[in-house]
Amino acid sequence: CVHKSEVCDGIVHCDDGEDELLCDTGPCDPNCKCVAHAAHCIGIQNISTLHQDKESGLKYLQVHHGLITLSNKAFHKFSNLLFIDISKNFLTAICHKIEEGHTFERQTHTKSLDLSSNVLMDLLYDCFAGLISLKELLLGDNYIDTIVKGSFIPLKKLETLILSRNKIKVLKNSVFMGLERLSFLFLDGNNIKELEAKAFLGLDLSFLGTRNYKVCCVYSTESVICPAEWHWMSTCDDMLSNEGMRVVI
């Protein structure tokens, strides 16, 4: 609403104060490159040491190639973040015991979270608490083999979930509980051996990414695009008519 010279000049010019919002993003860490409200960091080990002792105004944070660990307080100074990219690290865990607090509990405005290309193994109950505005969650290229029912409960606005190229072998009933707005689900690159009949309960997908046609059968709705190749010897009706096959694929 004003000339750029009047933005962040210490004087409120806009009626809603937008010209002075998030002006003080704090000093830039030596391992980061900072432009306006964005920081790109290489090789850091502790996110919580960025912008020490003050609330950060960063909106975009990208951290790559670091030996980072995420404590339950790691992002407490970053409540303004809209985009978080902590892919391509050696991150082994993002979940903590409920009584210890949650890693992302203050990220109520975050729209996109990229955790791909790490070494994550398990997703635990209420793991993403706080991310109530999240629309995109990238978890591809990890080592996830266990997804506990309730892992995604807080993500009421999530539209895209990428779980490609993990180690998932089993999907239990209602494992995607809480994802009422999910449209795009990617499961390709997993060797899914057991899929319970109600694993996709509550989902209304537009796209299901998988190369396993039996996974498409279990989701079983005409409205979804599922690019898997269909088995020439079988149909979904044939498979689902077998009680045992509805549970184990």
Side-chain angles (χ1 to χ4, degrees), residues 146-164:
T146 302
I147 303 176
V148 174
K149 179 181 176 180
S151 296
F152 304 113
I153 281 180
L155 308 181
K156 303 294 185 183
K157 295 185 179 180
L158 195 70
E159 297 174 358
T160 301
L161 175 58
I162 299 179
L163 288 163
S164 305

Side-chain angles (χ1 to χ4, degrees), residues 51-118:
H51 295 203
Q52 280 188 319
D53 302 323
K54 69 181 300 182
E55 179 75 11
S56 171
L58 284 177
K59 292 184 178 181
Y60 179 93
L61 176 62
Q62 184 181 68
V63 178
H64 288 169
H65 308 300
L67 296 171
I68 62 173
T69 57
L70 294 184
S71 70
N72 58 334
K73 304 291 185 182
F75 287 98
H76 270 219
K77 291 179 292 186
F78 301 94
S79 60
N80 297 303
L81 283 172
L82 298 178
F83 302 93
I84 302 173
D85 179 358
I86 45 178
S87 62
K88 302 175 184 177
N89 291 285
F90 294 92
L91 189 61
T92 59
I94 55 173
C95 308
H96 300 279
K97 295 178 180 178
I98 294 177
E99 61 269 19
E100 295 176 353
H102 301 284
T103 302
F104 304 107
E105 61 186 18
R106 296 196 65 198
Q107 277 57 64
T108 56
H109 303 296
T110 302
K111 306 294 185 183
S112 176
L113 174 60
D114 189 348
L115 290 160
S116 58
S117 300
N118 282 292

Side-chain angles (χ1 to χ4, degrees), residues 119-182:
V119 287
L120 301 175
M121 296 183 182
D122 301 318
L123 297 182
L124 304 180
Y125 180 81
D126 214 16
C127 199
F128 299 102
L131 294 165
I132 58 175
S133 300
L134 198 69
K135 292 188 175 182
E136 179 182 61
L137 177 57
L138 288 70
L139 288 163
D141 297 291
N142 277 282
Y143 293 83
I144 298 169
D145 60 5
T146 302
I147 303 176
V148 174
K149 179 181 176 180
S151 296
F152 304 113
I153 281 180
L155 308 181
K156 303 294 185 183
K157 295 185 179 180
L158 195 70
E159 297 174 358
T160 301
L161 175 58
I162 299 179
L163 288 163
S164 305
R165 296 174 299 281
N166 277 282
K167 304 295 182 182
I168 301 169
K169 294 183 179 180
V170 179
L171 289 176
K172 297 289 187 179
N173 285 335
S174 303
V175 70
F176 298 109
M177 180 173 61
L179 300 180
E180 293 89 355
R181 294 194 185 182
L182 192 68

